Amino acid sequence: MPTQLHEQTHIDIFDRDARQAWALRFGVTEERLRKAVRMVGSRITSIAAYLDQPLR
């Protein structure tokens, strides 16, 4: 699992461990996370807004 998720600004959707960690953090499936990245890009704040999930 990637370390220091709170310091990142973008999600590396191609990194399986990062994708799993962020999907878990947002409470969504990896596929939902991939869709969010396709729709709004990889910036974490944009993804959180798209998923209507606060950053924890």
Side-chain angles (χ1 to χ4, degrees):
M1 178 176 285
T3 59
Q4 302 171 338
L5 289 179
H6 63 281
E7 293 180 8
Q8 295 179 345
T9 57
H10 292 79
I11 294 175
D12 180 358
I13 201 69
F14 300 106
D15 179 323
R16 188 181 71 153
D17 290 337
R19 192 173 58 242
Q20 289 174 341
W22 280 107
L24 181 64
R25 185 169 181 181
F26 283 126
V28 298
T29 64
E30 287 184 48
E31 183 54 38
R32 180 88 168 108
L33 182 65
R34 282 190 193 100
K35 181 180 179 184
V37 170
R38 283 194 305 270
M39 298 301 290
V40 299
S42 63
R43 182 176 294 277
I44 293 166
T45 53
S46 298
I47 294 168
Y50 177 83
L51 295 173
D52 197 27
Q53 296 288 329
L55 287 175
R56 302 177 206 152

